[in-house]
Amino acid sequence: MTSNLKAILERLSRGEISPEAAALEVNLHSYREVGRMAKIDPCRIDRIGIPEAILAEGKSPEDLTEIALSFFAASGAVLITRVSRDHLKALREAPFPDGADLVWEGRAKAVVVTKEGRERSSGGVVGILSAGTADLPVAEEARVTAEFMGCETISEYDVGVAGIHRLFPSLERMADVDSLVVAAGREGTLPAVVAGLVEAPVVGLPVSTGYGAGGGGEAALLSMLQSCSVMVVVNIDAGFVAGAFAAKIASRAANRRNI
């Protein structure tokens, strides 16, 4: 990174590139090595509007802690997903600097570490719906992600099509959201229904609830992909991706309102 940065600055000083082009190249080359196991990307949010999250799953508590400390030092804020009890214990014991605020989001199995007093509001609003209570953990991962990206969220859970009358009061409360994440397992009908009723863009989030033929989220995924309602669909249980995409839409909508 050091040699790349030096070359960019030399080209800038010679007038070969503009300050804007130099800033873009710096963002493209910026990363921080953590030992020999990881290369973190704290500038990702500046480059594409979506932060890098640390996936705890598959990492030892020791490696996860080292990565999280390095990421926090570089950016002052870190989102960690799919956190186990062992991971959580290690993170709580980690030597984060004074002023670091660690929050455990139990339903989402996520940890957010920020500097105390950090305020980051995009002005965007994301609605989060789930078809059933069993879909709630994945929906909560989407919520935590959207809030980490500075969006306000409105959540309504257990409003699936088996009792569709429950849905309409929830949609009334979400009339002014900029985007929606709709999580559903089993046959995955709810996102298509919602996308056919609301103006806001809908992100379909298939969940691995359900059993038998088409279980594990497969029927939900295929149902959403085959929907004649217009929406986007993420992979099974991809709560972070759904929340980040919805938050990016909402943030851009808020920015346009403020122009």
Side-chain angles (χ1 to χ4, degrees), residues 65-88:
T65 298
E66 187 175 352
I67 294 169
L69 288 168
S70 182
F71 203 105
F72 185 84
S75 66
V78 58
L79 170 62
I80 308 165
T81 63
R82 309 296 170 95
V83 175
S84 70
R85 290 185 178 181
D86 288 341
H87 289 136
L88 178 60

Side-chain angles (χ1 to χ4, degrees), residues 41 45 52 56 59 107 120 130 148 189:
D41 187 12
I45 192 165
E52 180 179 31
K59 296 180 176 67
R107 284 178 169 173
R120 185 178 184 277
S130 83
F148 183 77
T189 307

Side-chain angles (χ1 to χ4, degrees), residues 199-224:
E199 182 180 4
V202 171
V203 181
L205 173 53
V207 182
S208 58
T209 52
Y211 45 83
E218 291 185 11
L221 174 62
L222 293 176
S223 174
M224 294 179 201

Side-chain angles (χ1 to χ4, degrees), residues 155-192:
S155 302
E156 295 282 343
Y157 297 143
D158 197 25
V159 293
V161 298
I164 201 167
H165 59 290
R166 302 172 297 180
L167 172 64
F168 302 112
S170 298
L171 291 183
E172 289 177 4
R173 288 190 282 273
M174 296 187 179
D176 296 324
V177 300
D178 298 302
S179 60
L180 280 157
V181 174
V182 186
R186 300 186 68 86
E187 84 289 1
T189 307
L190 184 63

Side-chain angles (χ1 to χ4, degrees), residues 3-206:
S3 59
N4 289 331
L5 180 58
K6 182 179 179 181
I8 293 168
L9 293 175
E10 287 175 349
R11 288 164 60 210
L12 176 63
S13 68
R14 293 194 297 267
E16 296 175 4
I17 55 175
S18 68
E20 292 77 14
L24 177 61
E25 289 195 32
V26 168
N27 282 338
L28 289 172
H29 288 90
S30 294
Y31 65 88
R32 173 180 291 199
E33 294 190 7
V34 183
R36 298 180 64 184
M37 62 179 168
K39 294 178 176 64
I40 62 174
D41 187 12
C43 290
R44 185 175 302 179
I45 192 165
D46 299 317
R47 190 170 66 249
I48 65 171
I50 294 175
E52 180 179 31
I54 301 174
L55 176 65
E57 193 172 83
K59 296 180 176 67
S60 70
E62 295 77 18
D63 286 349
L64 175 65
T65 298
E66 187 175 352
I67 294 169
L69 288 168
S70 182
F71 203 105
F72 185 84
S75 66
V78 58
L79 170 62
I80 308 165
T81 63
R82 309 296 170 95
V83 175
S84 70
R85 290 185 178 181
D86 288 341
H87 289 136
L88 178 60
K89 182 176 183 294
L91 289 167
R92 283 175 167 166
E93 294 173 352
F96 285 100
D98 292 341
D101 183 25
L102 186 151
V103 176
W104 163 238
E105 296 279 1
R107 284 178 169 173
K109 295 184 179 178
V111 166
V112 176
V113 188
T114 57
K115 292 180 179 178
E116 289 181 355
R118 173 183 182 257
E119 293 184 8
R120 185 178 184 277
S121 175
S122 73
V125 183
V126 176
I128 312 286
L129 293 169
S130 83
T133 305
D135 306 319
L136 195 151
V138 178
E140 280 284 286
E141 184 175 285
R143 177 192 63 78
V144 170
T145 301
E147 291 180 357
F148 183 77
M149 289 177 60
C151 289
E152 178 187 346
T153 63
I154 303 173
S155 302
E156 295 282 343
Y157 297 143
D158 197 25
V159 293
V161 298
I164 201 167
H165 59 290
R166 302 172 297 180
L167 172 64
F168 302 112
S170 298
L171 291 183
E172 289 177 4
R173 288 190 282 273
M174 296 187 179
D176 296 324
V177 300
D178 298 302
S179 60
L180 280 157
V181 174
V182 186
R186 300 186 68 86
E187 84 289 1
T189 307
L190 184 63
V193 172
V194 172
L197 294 172
V198 302
E199 182 180 4
V202 171
V203 181
L205 173 53

